[in-house]
Amino acid sequence: GYPVHMSGLSMDITQRRQAEEQLRESEARFRMLFLHLPIAYQSLNVEGCWVDVNDKMAELLGFEHPEDMLGLCFGDFWDTDSAGLFAPTFSRFMASGAITSDLRLRRRDGTPLLVQIVGY
């Protein structure tokens, strides 16, 4: 009923833990920069819906909090005259990985807005 043998392994994980902590700090700095950039910034999923936006993007489109935009689709805020262009424009962006264009949007309250988008 008593153990007669025990095996074990020890590894120094100091460097790994330091690297993990440095990565957490770097991610936290990036997140703070992202949220408080003086320009509107967004990340879209493959359907063109928001997965991340910063404060400036929320402000630009009339939202109080960036979180309120998550899951909504960027194309739904294109001006009525150009709304039909969202799908082909987004497809070109996905294929090329870059886009620069002037774009007419509608704020949440319907107010028209002209912006320049630069996407990578």
Side-chain angles (χ1 to χ4, degrees), residues 75-84 103-106 110-113:
D76 293 340
F77 290 83
W78 284 38
D79 187 57
T80 308
D81 294 339
S82 58
L103 179 62
R104 293 188 184 282
L105 299 176
R106 284 180 293 107
T111 305
L113 179 67

Side-chain angles (χ1 to χ4, degrees), residues 33-109:
L33 287 170
F34 169 80
L35 287 175
H36 302 294
L37 278 171
I39 59 170
Y41 189 88
Q42 63 185 353
S43 293
L44 306 173
N45 65 16
V46 294
E47 287 84 31
C49 298
W50 286 299
V51 293
D52 211 356
V53 296
N54 70 358
D55 293 338
K56 199 67 170 176
M57 187 69 182
E59 177 187 326
L60 181 75
L61 291 178
F63 287 84
E64 191 171 331
H65 304 285
E67 299 81 23
D68 298 337
M69 298 173 68
L70 301 183
L72 300 176
C73 294
F74 183 44
D76 293 340
F77 290 83
W78 284 38
D79 187 57
T80 308
D81 294 339
S82 58
L85 299 175
F86 177 76
T89 303
F90 191 64
S91 292
R92 278 195 312 278
F93 166 70
M94 294 294 286
S96 69
I99 191 167
T100 300
S101 179
D102 290 345
L103 179 62
R104 293 188 184 282
L105 299 176
R106 284 180 293 107
R107 291 174 47 93
R108 187 178 189 188
D109 65 4

